[in-house]
């Protein structure tokens, strides 16, 4: 069976009533027949039937053994870090999601877990950073916002050779485009807030493990720490996943067209999109991703924050907002928004210049989105020309 068929039919018909839509079990507890005798559910933090459908579904989609749903992507990341102990070392991608950086550096470092950040686009950097204290390698591919790609297969081999766990944050690609466990990863995490739920309407996180043993450990942490996803949000995530493959196909097709349009614009310096042959890691992306996704970043020939700001404020279809992965297109200026807390030097070195704009390409018609960008860029060019005349 093809994946889209599998996804739809892995979401079971409710065995109790035949309801084709998964029921929302909005309950905190379950009545027992005798002490300890129940239908597999005793208390809703430990287990909830709606959440279970989502957890089984994401496990299947990622070709893992177990899936677990959390209150946010960060809660999912937090659960994975809790596999470690004081004294352990993590090697993480230097372009890491800002929230993960904050969690690793400002929370876990004080509990004795040390983090080394390396450029993982060159796998040799990871191999060189491994010590006998390393317990976990943490990568994202593609990264945010400049869409750097790491060779997951090669890094998985390094992890295996050193008996270190490899966790991949698969948020940007989604399992419709990339399956890290098939490439050798031990754990996959998601901010389901983005493509999986897909409609910009919930905050949610998921963890998938490659083995039952790791799954049992995450399950223990999920119940012990308690950052579970509620039944209604679990239902929304299931509903989103039902159309994931279709959406990712269209997001990617739209983004490819838009990236090719941006390449031709004189005002634009770099266009970052893994689907472009000019992208530094295009070949690796092609070897591990089925689709290139809906996120594009670009910066301007004149690295001027004001002009970039003018562009993201003049688009009409692309709404100015943080986040990504929804059906409606969004744009943002990372230096003033998602990446504002990162020191300028560190920001520049990872390509996040003052004029870098990130697009989350939605499911509107690509031609309308291109027209929207055209008019916003023209307005900004005109304004900058006027500004130059005034100052000249
Ligand atoms: C958004 C995001 C997260 C955090 O997820 P939340 O659901 O916002 O907690 C983690 N990793 C990546 C790559 C993200 O884009």
């Amino acid at each position: 069976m093809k994946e889209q068929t599998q996804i739809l039919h892995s979401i079971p018909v409710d065995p109790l009533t035949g309801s084709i839509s998964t029921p929302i079990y909005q309950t905190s507890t379950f009545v027992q027949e005798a002490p300890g005798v129940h239908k597999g559910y005793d208390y809703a933090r430990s287990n909830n039937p709606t959440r279970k459908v989502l957890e089984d579904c994401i496990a299947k989609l990622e070709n893992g053994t177990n899936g677990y749903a959390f209150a946010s992507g960060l809660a999912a990341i937090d659960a994975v870090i809790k596999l470690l102990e004081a004294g352990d070392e993590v090697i993480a991608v230097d372009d890491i999601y800002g929230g993960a950086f904050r969690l690793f550096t400002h929370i876990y470092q004080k509990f004795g877990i040390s983090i080394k950040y390396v450029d993982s686009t060159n796998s040799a950097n990871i191999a060189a950073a491994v010590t006998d204290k390393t317990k976990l390698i943490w990568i994202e591919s593609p990264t945010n916002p400049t869409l750097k790609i790491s060779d997951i297969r090669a890094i998985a081999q390094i992890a295996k050779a050193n008996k270190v766990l490899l966790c991949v944050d698969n948020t940007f690609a989604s399992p419709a485009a990339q399956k890290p466990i098939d490439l050798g990863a031990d754990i996959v995490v998601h901010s389901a807030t983005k493509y999986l739920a897909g409609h910009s309407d919930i905050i949610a996180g998921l963890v998938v493990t490659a083995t039952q043993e790791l799954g049992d450990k995450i399950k223990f942490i999920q119940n012990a720490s308690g950052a579970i996803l509620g039944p209604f949000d679990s239902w929304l995530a299931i509903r989103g996943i039902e159309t994931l493959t279709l959406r990712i196909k269209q997001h990617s097709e739209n983004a490819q067209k838009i990236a090719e349009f941006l390449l031709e614009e004189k005002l634009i310096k770099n266009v970052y999109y893994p689907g472009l042959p000019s992208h530094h890691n295009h070949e690796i992306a092609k070897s591990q991703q089925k689709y290139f996704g809906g996120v594009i970043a670009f910066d301007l020939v004149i690295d001027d924050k004001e002009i970039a700001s003018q562009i993201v404020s003049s688009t009409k279809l692309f709404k100015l907002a943080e986040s990504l992965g929804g059906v409606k297109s969004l744009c943002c200026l990372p230096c003033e928004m998602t990446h504002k807390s990162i020191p300028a030097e560190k920001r520049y070195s990872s390509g996040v210049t003052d004029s870098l704009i990130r697009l989350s390409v939605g499911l509107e018609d690509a031609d309308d989105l291109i027209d929207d960008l055209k008019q916003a860029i023209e307005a900004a060019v005109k304004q900058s020309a006027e500004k130059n005349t005034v100052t000249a």
Side-chain angles (χ1 to χ4, degrees):
M1 251 192 284
K2 294 284 196 306
E3 183 160 280
Q4 178 59 19
T5 316
Q6 256 181 24
I7 294 174
L8 290 178
H9 290 271
S10 76
I11 300 166
V13 170
D14 176 41
L16 202 60
T17 64
S19 168
I20 194 153
S21 166
T22 304
I24 300 168
Y25 282 92
Q26 194 70 49
T27 186
S28 61
T29 192
F30 301 85
V31 176
Q32 309 195 2
E33 289 155 42
V37 181
H38 52 73
K39 298 181 168 70
Y41 298 95
D42 51 2
Y43 185 59
R45 173 171 19 79
S46 314
N47 223 335
N48 173 288
T50 314
R51 196 175 85 217
K52 182 79 167 69
V53 169
L54 169 63
E55 293 178 334
D56 290 348
C57 178
I58 190 64
K60 204 164 263 174
L61 247 180
E62 287 285 8
N63 287 335
T65 55
N66 301 56
Y68 299 100
F70 294 84
S72 67
L74 274 172
I77 294 171
D78 181 73
V80 175
I81 295 295
K82 283 180 173 145
L83 291 168
L84 305 183
E85 289 172 18
D88 290 349
E89 224 168 61
V90 182
I91 298 171
V93 50
D94 56 0
D95 231 11
I96 195 166
Y97 175 73
F101 176 84
R102 182 174 54 205
L103 177 69
F104 290 0
T105 307
H106 297 294
I107 307 270
Y108 281 100
Q109 229 148 247
K110 72 181 182 203
F111 291 115
I113 292 170
S114 59
I115 328 279
K116 259 191 247 170
Y117 295 96
V118 304
D119 176 359
S120 61
T121 57
N122 180 356
S123 317
N125 292 339
I126 292 199
V130 174
T131 71
D132 54 4
K133 289 192 176 143
T134 310
K135 292 287 152 56
L136 178 66
I137 297 170
W138 189 281
I139 61 169
E140 286 170 34
S141 186
T143 59
N144 174 33
T146 55
L147 306 159
K148 288 184 192 142
I149 307 288
S150 293
D151 185 341
I152 299 175
R153 281 187 195 90
I155 296 171
Q157 279 175 6
I158 295 166
K160 288 218 164 36
N162 291 283
K163 297 191 168 59
V164 172
L165 292 175
L166 171 63
C167 180
V168 178
D169 182 334
N170 203 27
T171 300
F172 268 51
S174 95
Q178 171 173 278
K179 296 193 196 297
I181 289 176
D182 288 354
L183 302 169
D186 302 288
I187 306 173
V188 171
V189 300
H190 277 283
S191 168
T193 310
K194 318 290 167 52
Y195 286 108
L196 287 170
H199 295 71
S200 308
D201 50 11
I202 58 166
I203 299 287
L206 298 165
V207 176
V208 179
T209 61
T211 65
Q212 181 69 39
E213 189 193 348
L214 270 173
D216 290 342
K217 288 182 184 169
I218 295 290
K219 169 83 193 164
F220 181 84
I221 293 166
Q222 182 194 40
N223 185 50
S225 290
I228 47 145
L229 191 64
F232 183 57
D233 287 356
S234 296
W235 184 83
L236 280 168
I238 296 166
R239 187 190 175 92
I241 288 173
E242 288 177 337
T243 56
L244 178 72
T245 313
L246 291 170
R247 284 186 288 107
I248 290 294
K249 249 189 222 174
Q250 195 60 44
H251 280 297
S252 305
E253 197 182 307
N254 284 1
Q256 185 78 34
K257 269 193 183 174
I258 291 170
E260 284 165 10
F261 153 75
L262 292 170
L263 269 185
E264 301 300 318
E265 281 293 303
K266 285 191 201 64
L267 190 72
I268 293 171
K269 187 173 173 196
N270 301 294
V271 180
Y272 301 99
Y273 186 66
L276 293 175
S278 57
H279 187 282
H280 284 312
N281 315 119
H282 176 66
E283 289 305 319
I284 291 171
K286 241 179 24 187
S287 78
Q288 61 191 21
Q289 288 179 230
K290 198 166 158 192
Y291 303 103
F292 299 113
V295 179
I296 303 172
F298 63 94
D299 61 6
L300 307 177
V301 174
I302 312 166
D303 190 34
D304 185 319
K305 196 189 291 185
E306 265 180 62
I307 302 177
S309 203
Q310 167 83 16
I311 293 174
V312 295
S313 311
S314 318
T315 51
K316 297 192 169 71
L317 299 176
F318 283 92
K319 304 295 184 199
L320 180 60
E322 295 193 5
S323 198
L324 59 114
V327 292
K328 291 180 187 166
S329 292
L330 303 177
C331 62
C332 83
L333 191 64
C335 75
E336 280 294 324
M337 297 168 71
T338 50
H339 288 62
K340 198 176 167 78
S341 63
I342 297 173
E345 280 313 304
K346 187 174 177 332
R347 188 159 59 68
Y348 293 146
S349 71
S350 62
V352 186
T353 55
D354 288 348
S355 65
L356 188 89
I357 291 171
R358 186 185 77 187
L359 303 177
S360 169
V361 176
L363 300 182
E364 299 89 344
D365 189 282
D367 293 334
D368 290 332
L369 293 175
I370 288 173
D371 285 345
D372 189 32
L373 289 169
K374 255 188 207 158
Q375 67 79 23
I377 291 169
E378 272 163 24
V381 170
K382 212 166 134 195
Q383 217 210 9
S384 98
E386 277 163 16
K387 193 172 113 192
N388 288 342
T389 327
V390 173
T391 51

